[in-house]
Amino acid sequence: MSGPEKNKFTVAVIPGDGIGPEVITVAKRIASAAASKDGVAIDWVEYPFGASHYVTTNEILPESAMAEMGDCDAMMLGAIGSPQVKPGILERGILLTLRFVFDQYVNLRPAKSLPNVPTPVPLCGAVMDSVVIRENTEDLYMGLGEVYDPSLDKLETRLDLERGGYSLRGRLELSISPKMPFAAQVALNTKHGAERITRYACETARDRGENRVTIVTKSNAAPALYGYFEDTAKGVIESEYPGMKWDTANVDALCYHLVRNPVAYGVLLCPNLFGDIVSDLQAGLAGGLGTAAGGNIGDGLSMFEPVHGSAPDIAGSGRANPIAAILSGALMLRHIGLADSAGNVERAVRGYLERSPQGERPFEFGGNASCSRVGDAVLKLI
Ligand code: NAD
Ligand code: IPM
Ligand code: MN
């Protein structure tokens, strides 16, 4: 029998803001317990970055910390973002920076219904098992944007970005007449970016035993940006994956179809922005954001985090559902080669949901078990 290659792994972790630390505490305990059953220790290296750290120190994410993280086997993150800090500063400064710096070009977001978890649209006994493969480094997220100050002659902003595989430098210049305030944000999809995410989507479909990838698009309204992504994806599928089929869905219609029939789709290949939106919709259809796990995957450091954010509306109340973070921990374990431990975590979550009485279930599913109580119940089944 072959066991894991190493018996010790180092995992960086940013618990972050709001419910982030609450769910990450639980996810760490459960991942550690499952790994330890398989004779493996996880050394968690915790970093304080997030809103309180920023407010007290003015530090967002130092390069020295990123260099250390890069030496770890994987990373986990709770959530970043707080009403205390203007939107975008920390989300871009920490979360997106990590995705970009480590070139985590895949955002893997499975959407699976779970036993006894109520869904807003009845599944009538069917199981929802779909996955968003989201391009994670480009599109409207590239970061070239500016609010125009009408006291100036024109809007002028410079671009200087590094991505895995390319550097992009340039300048955006816009003048408007008559002068009036406006804002502009530019999106970019490269052939390189669209090709590599399409390959990942095709491999995912193959691993699932499927022969179809749905390309999520909006080529009707933005033919340059999304038509290009779509055509590039089709080209890769047709030329590199014999037997693999593609179909396309405009993102607006896809949302409609998903709500009407949540089990109709398998692999959804999305440009960055649509992948963000569709994965929250999928999470809602599968039972709640508290169920939806995710991974930011690249060829270097990969980072695992739930789909949800810091949920300031419930932070500190104990109402956070930790299952998304626990299942993100399972994705992390599988990624570092601990498939058995990952399976153990996933089985424990299912076992807990199959057996626990209503009162012992997360608030999100109509129960009244706190975040840590849910964690204790899952831990017992590891
Ligand atoms: P959100 O995902 O934090 O919350 C949306 C809704 O879902 C809220 O009503 C919340 O209570 C609920 N919810 C989320 N996770 C839950 C859980 N585990 N259990 C039970 N209910 C849960 O989205 P938002 O309100 O748009 O964002 C809040 C903050 O989080 C913002 O600062 C945003 O930028 C940030 N954010 C961060 C990430 C991340 O770090 N990956 C992701 C999304 C949003
Ligand atoms: C997510 C989040 C982030 C995104 C935000 C916080 C920048 O919504 O991880 O889904 O848009 O990717
Ligand atoms: Mn999101």
Side-chain angles (χ1 to χ4, degrees), residues 80 91 95-96 99 109 134 141 272 276 280 305 307:
I80 294 294
E91 292 89 339
L95 179 68
L96 298 185
R99 290 177 183 168
R109 293 186 154 179
R134 169 188 182 194
Y141 283 66
N272 206 340
D276 176 48
D280 266 44
E305 47 156 353
V307 170

Side-chain angles (χ1 to χ4, degrees), residues 1 54 92 220 242 263 317 366 370:
M1 225 174 78
Y54 173 65
R92 285 205 73 86
N220 53 358
V263 301
S317 71
S370 67

Side-chain angles (χ1 to χ4, degrees), residues 51-333:
S52 347
H53 183 78
Y54 173 65
V55 168
T56 50
T57 65
N58 218 28
E59 181 176 66
I60 298 182
L61 176 65
E63 295 215 350
S64 55
M66 280 193 280
E68 286 173 22
M69 291 166 183
D71 288 333
C72 294
D73 295 297
M75 180 160 180
M76 287 201 70
L77 183 141
I80 294 294
S82 157
Q84 284 177 281
V85 181
K86 190 171 176 234
I89 295 178
L90 300 175
E91 292 89 339
R92 285 205 73 86
I94 300 176
L95 179 68
L96 298 185
T97 296
L98 287 166
R99 290 177 183 168
F100 299 158
V101 164
F102 292 109
D103 198 28
Q104 296 162 347
Y105 66 94
V106 179
N107 192 194
L108 170 72
R109 293 186 154 179
K112 293 186 184 171
S113 52
L114 291 162
N116 300 325
V117 171
T119 59
V121 178
L123 301 181
C124 305
V127 171
M128 185 174 168
D129 178 8
S130 168
V131 59
V132 167
I133 303 295
R134 169 188 182 194
E135 198 291 319
N136 213 23
T137 59
E138 302 193 325
D139 202 15
L140 202 62
Y141 283 66
M142 68 184 280
L144 176 62
E146 198 80 6
V147 178
Y148 169 58
D149 170 359
S151 70
L152 303 175
D153 203 33
K154 60 191 174 203
L155 175 149
E156 195 172 356
T157 180
R158 291 195 173 273
L159 171 70
D160 185 350
L161 68 81
E162 294 294 331
R163 289 292 182 273
Y166 61 94
S167 314
L168 197 67
R169 314 247 175 281
R171 190 162 56 96
L172 171 71
E173 195 184 303
L174 295 168
S175 53
I176 192 163
S177 173
K179 271 194 181 179
M180 62 179 87
F182 70 91
Q185 185 105 30
V186 176
L188 166 103
N189 283 320
T190 64
K191 187 161 190 276
H192 162 77
E195 282 182 348
R196 62 183 183 169
I197 195 66
T198 302
R199 290 188 187 108
Y200 195 93
C202 291
E203 301 295 337
T204 305
R206 268 189 187 165
D207 290 349
R208 291 163 53 92
E210 296 169 2
N211 67 349
R212 179 170 300 274
V213 167
T214 301
I215 307 165
V216 180
T217 187
K218 193 64 193 165
S219 51
N220 53 358
L225 185 67
Y226 296 123
Y228 185 70
F229 183 94
E230 181 186 316
D231 291 344
T232 306
K234 287 177 188 170
V236 168
I237 297 171
E238 286 171 2
S239 62
E240 298 179 27
Y241 292 87
M244 189 62 68
K245 299 188 174 66
W246 54 260
D247 53 15
T248 60
N250 285 316
V251 65
D252 48 352
L254 174 79
C255 292
Y256 170 78
H257 290 305
L258 269 173
V259 169
R260 304 276 293 186
N261 185 7
V263 301
Y265 293 93
V267 175
L268 294 169
L269 168 60
C270 297
N272 206 340
L273 181 65
F274 303 155
D276 176 48
I277 297 165
V278 169
S279 54
D280 266 44
L281 174 58
Q282 296 258 71
L285 291 167
L289 270 169
T291 69
N296 303 279
I297 296 167
D299 299 329
L301 179 79
S302 293
M303 174 170 78
F304 296 82
E305 47 156 353
V307 170
H308 65 71
S310 57
D313 53 341
I314 56 166
S317 71
R319 299 177 75 92
N321 182 356
I323 288 177
I326 297 171
L327 293 175
S328 302
L331 293 178
M332 184 277 290
L333 291 170

